[in-house]
Every structure is written in structure tokens, then in C-alpha cells.
Amino acid sequence: VSQSVHGFSVPFRFPVTFTRGIWRCTNPTLLQTVRSLERHRQHRVLVVVDDQVARARPALLADIEAYCSACAGGLALVAPPLLVPGGEAAKNDLSHCFSILQRIHDVGLDRQSFVVVLGGGAVLDVASFAAAIAHRGIRTIRLPTTVLSQADSGIAVKNGLNLFGKKNFIGTFVPPFAVLNDLDFLDSLERRDTAAGIAEVIKVALLRDPALFDEVEAHAAAIAGGDSTKIAAVVQRSAELHLAHVCGSGDPFELGSARPLDFGHWAAHKLESMTRHRLRHGEAVAIGMTLDLTYAMLMGYLNEQVLRRVRAVIRAVGLPEWDDALLEPGPEGRLEVLSGLEEFREHLGGELHVTLVQAIGRSFETNQMDDAVVRQAIGMMAPSVRQRSAVATIGAAHTVQ
Ligand SMILES: NC(=O)c1ccc[n+]([C@@H]2O[C@H](COP(=O)([O-])OP(=O)(O)OC[C@H]3O[C@@H](n4cnc5c(N)ncnc54)[C@H](O)[C@@H]3O)[C@@H](O)[C@H]2O)c1
Ligand SMILES: [Zn+2]
């Protein structure tokens, strides 16, 4: 046997810029970004747009075309902006990914061209995936337009589509060419979507930054009311914390099975599928965090006062702490949400890793979750006596590890 081992490492760098008015002809951010590698040529650009953003902002498509005409020396719009349905529908149906691939093919984009994608986390995921697989990877510039995607998913190095009823079953790890967060877009978000994004801000604050938690707590009413200055401040801090994790954790492509930032996510992903995405990702994360915080309290890891404090903030920013899907029985009479633990482990590979919070800003990983205690936590969360007794009658206890 003759064996030799070879390897190489490739450094990834991508700028994350916060700006306002990105499509104003006087704003150089996008032009400078596409020109950053080769200053003197014209760069071909396909723009993919979340149709709900276009609907909320009737001037958007004309602004994009006007910007590209004004910057024609540096960038060429290869086709009118391509609209993709906003929200989880974009990830649930492969045809949307296919239509982006078709357009990339039709206009003849190459690996030196750009796909610029503007929209919420779902549309960013679909277009980033399509760009990642076309020609084995076309440069992608992300323009996230939701609180969640500016604070969290847009700056991540992965993308994904849902398949076989499983969240993000297909996808790739690819760092974007650049991320340009235009805070003005957050003004047209529905309150519900603003709150959903704040769930991820609360999440990263609970894991990493007590001062950010205090800030969200102090301004919860203003944030729920759409105060753009307060929202921008917590979005920027959250983005910094997520970037520090992606770039500093030593495992940006999640080769290990630990996923420390996925606090509350095992239940969240399951609840999203169970409710056929009636719950937004961030809403499901709020419920998943409430569940894992209650679990940690019952296990003796977390003080009950901290649990109450976090729950009050979740409510105050307009997020749900409960959904009746938590009561749904699955096969063998076990609570269906509990199968989220096995699915989470399968997605991670290897061992189960669940992050539990011990105090605001402090967390640890556990490799096993006790079914009976999860059920007890759900029982405690249930808003009515009837629901509480329903939990007690569903499912036999066993431990998942
Ligand atoms: N790739 C990753 O690392 C990663 C990480 C976390 C979450 N995600 C994914 O992100 C998705 C959630 O993203 P999201 O919270 O941004 O929600 P979303 O993309 O579903 O957007 C929510 C709604 O707001 C609309 N919208 C977006 N921007 C708007 C604006 N500026 N004005 C008006 N309406 C607007 C969208 O069309 C949609 O209807 C989930 O699919 C989740 O799995 C991905
Ligand atoms: Zn998330």
C-alpha cells in the first residue's frame, strides 16, 4: 500500500457593509464591491429580487435599473431583475431554484460574473444555492432585507432548500463575495417579520452578550413598535457576534457536529415543518428557546428568575412563546415535536449536540435530552389547564442520546 496525504487551505474574505440607500446613484457601495477585484472592466450582474420586497417598494425595480445605467462603466445588468416569491415558499419548491439557474444559463453568466440577491433569508438561501451550483460557483453578493437576514442568516456561509419535508435538506457551504446590509429596507417589514428577526438577536445575546440582551430588554417596546434606530443598533451588534462566530470558531463549515449558535433550533426546525411554515423561522426559534430554557430550569441549570426575565423580553418584542403544535402526538403516541431531536442529530451527524443556557451570556452543550423532562417543560409552558393535562397523557418517556 502506498499512501500520501495532500492538502491545501484557502483563505476566505468577504466584506460586510452597513449602508442606507444602496440603490441611490450617489451610493458607491455596490459599484465598489463588484469592482473590488478588477477595477477597470465592466462586470456582468444578474439581480434576483424577493417579490414581496418589490411589492412593498414599488420604485425598487426602476431604482435598480437606474443605478446600473448610471454605473454602466463598471457594471452591466444582463437582464431585468428576476423576481422570486418571498418567504419559505421559495425554499419549498425547487422550481424557483431552477428558474434562477435557467436565467443564469440564458444570459450566459460565467464565474467572473455576479449574482446579486436582494431579499429575506429564504430568497437569499435559494439564490445563493443556485449561484453556488451553477458553473460550480458564481460570485454572490447578498443584500439582506429582513432583520433576521441582516443580523444572522445573510452573513452566514451557507445556503439551503427544503426537501422531503426537512428544512435545509439540500444546500452548500459557500462564503458570499460580499454582504451589503441596507438598513432602510427594514422600514417596510411587517411587525411580525421584525419580531421574528429579533428572536435571533435574543438568541445570540443569550449565548454571547449580556449587554446586548440588556439593550433588547430596555428597548423592547420601541423595537416592537418599529423604532428603526433601536432596531438598527441591535441588528448591527448581532451581525458582529455572528461574524465573530463564523470567522473565529474554527469550524465555519460545521464539519464537527457541534452547532453552538443553534440554540432553540432543534424544536424550531421541527415546529416549522409541523406547522407547514405557518410559524416563521424566528417565531419557531422563540418557542424553541422558551422550551430549552424551561428544560434547563427543570434540570437545575438555569435560575427560574432568568427564565421569567427572558420570557418577558420574548413577549415584549411581540414573539410567541407557545404554539399548539407542541401538543401534537406523533407515531407511537410520543409528542411529535420530540422527533425533532432525532432529525437534528441526523442533520448534524454523529452525536446529538444541544446548546443549553445557564445564565445570560453563558451556555454549554449537552449530548442528551430527557424526553420526560422535555414533556414536563412543554406542560409548564402550556397556557391552559386543558393543554397541560393533554401533555400529561401523551407519550411514554424515554431518553434520546
Ligand atoms: N443560510 C443560513 O445560514 C440561514 C440561517 C438562519 C436562517 N436561514 C433561513 O432564513 C429564512 C428566514 O429568513 P427571514 O426571517 O429573512 O424570512 P423570509 O425570507 O421568509 O422573509 C419574511 C417575509 O418578509 C418579506 N420581506 C423580506 N424583506 C422585506 C422587506 N424589506 N419589506 C417587506 N417585506 C419583506 C419576504 O418576502 C417574506 O414574505 C428561513 O428559511 C431560514 O431557514 C438561513
Ligand atoms: Zn435560526
Side-chain angles (χ1 to χ4, degrees):
V1 177
S2 157
Q3 185 187 53
S4 57
V5 178
H6 308 268
F8 54 83
S9 60
V10 180
F12 287 101
R13 319 183 79 83
F14 58 96
V16 176
T17 308
F18 277 87
T19 184
R20 288 188 184 270
I22 193 151
W23 298 110
R24 277 201 291 265
C25 294
T26 48
N27 187 330
T29 312
L30 179 62
L31 178 63
Q32 283 170 355
T33 304
V34 295
R35 280 180 146 177
S36 57
L37 296 184
E38 303 105 0
R39 269 204 65 71
H40 300 294
R41 55 174 273 220
Q42 194 196 39
H43 299 267
R44 305 185 77 224
V45 174
L46 172 69
V47 182
V48 178
V49 175
D50 183 317
D51 73 346
Q52 298 302 315
V53 187
R55 186 177 302 175
R57 299 178 163 266
L60 177 65
L61 299 181
D63 287 350
I64 293 173
E65 303 217 19
Y67 183 90
C68 296
S69 308
C71 301
L75 57 87
L77 197 59
V78 292
L82 174 64
L83 292 173
V84 172
E88 205 64 26
K91 292 178 60 167
N92 281 333
D93 178 348
L94 292 182
S95 71
H96 305 302
C97 176
F98 189 79
S99 45
I100 299 170
L101 289 168
Q102 180 79 56
R103 183 63 63 92
I104 290 172
H105 164 71
D106 291 344
V107 298
L109 282 198
D110 59 36
R111 288 171 49 80
Q112 314 268 307
S113 312
F114 289 88
V115 172
V116 171
V117 49
L118 179 148
V123 169
L124 293 175
D125 265 356
V126 179
S128 302
F129 179 67
I133 59 174
H135 294 303
R136 302 199 177 103
I138 295 176
R139 299 166 178 176
T140 306
I141 300 178
R142 295 192 192 155
L143 276 57
T145 58
T146 59
V147 168
L148 188 136
S149 56
Q150 293 195 1
D152 176 336
S153 72
I155 50 174
V157 295
K158 53 191 177 177
N159 55 57
L161 300 189
N162 308 332
L163 197 62
F164 310 129
K166 289 181 179 166
K167 272 287 281 190
N168 302 326
F169 184 74
I170 52 176
T172 64
F173 285 93
V174 188
F177 187 85
V179 182
L180 311 178
N181 279 339
D182 181 344
L183 291 160
D184 284 349
F185 277 102
L186 306 185
D187 298 342
S188 57
L189 273 182
E190 289 187 12
R191 292 277 156 89
R192 178 178 180 194
D193 290 307
T194 301
I198 296 297
E200 300 280 12
V201 175
I202 294 173
K203 175 203 76 179
V204 78
L206 287 173
L207 300 175
R208 299 280 152 91
D209 189 353
L212 177 60
F213 185 82
D214 292 348
E215 193 176 343
V216 176
E217 184 176 47
H219 303 301
I223 288 169
D227 181 325
S228 62
T229 313
K230 300 282 189 296
I231 292 170
V234 299
V235 164
Q236 277 185 260
R237 179 66 189 138
S238 167
E240 279 166 20
L241 291 163
H242 278 96
L243 280 167
H245 174 77
V246 170
C247 301
S249 69
D251 189 19
F253 297 153
E254 297 170 6
L255 299 174
S257 48
R259 200 79 89 66
L261 288 195
D262 271 358
F263 170 53
H265 277 56
W266 71 265
H269 285 159
K270 186 68 194 171
L271 288 170
E272 282 181 85
S273 305
M274 285 170 69
T275 61
R276 304 212 162 129
H277 304 282
R278 171 175 52 73
L279 285 175
R280 297 271 203 262
H281 177 70
E283 292 170 341
V285 169
I287 296 166
M289 291 194 296
T290 306
L291 176 54
D292 283 352
L293 289 164
T294 309
Y295 179 89
M297 190 274 293
L298 288 170
M299 295 293 288
Y301 303 130
L302 179 78
N303 185 306
E304 194 176 350
Q305 267 148 328
V306 179
L307 171 65
R308 280 208 216 101
R309 189 175 161 206
V310 179
R311 290 191 65 166
V313 173
I314 287 175
R315 277 195 300 277
V317 296
L319 284 165
E321 303 166 277
W322 170 264
D323 191 275
D324 281 347
L326 287 169
L327 295 179
E328 260 174 49
E332 298 154 32
R334 186 177 177 228
L335 284 173
E336 175 64 7
V337 70
L338 285 163
S339 59
L341 284 168
E342 282 90 11
E343 288 174 20
F344 196 62
R345 181 183 45 199
E346 179 190 310
H347 190 74
L348 298 174
E351 258 184 337
L352 180 70
H353 281 259
V354 172
T355 303
L356 293 179
V357 166
Q358 286 173 291
I360 292 170
R362 190 150 50 87
S363 58
F364 72 101
E365 302 249 320
T366 181
N367 303 120
Q368 67 171 48
M369 294 286 283
D370 185 329
D371 256 31
V373 182
V374 177
R375 279 192 329 134
Q376 200 187 339
I378 292 173
M380 280 190 74
M381 288 160 62
S384 75
V385 177
R386 184 187 53 77
Q387 288 162 323
R388 259 167 272 168
S389 51
V391 179
T393 59
I394 302 169
H398 65 280
T399 299
V400 178
Q401 56 187 344

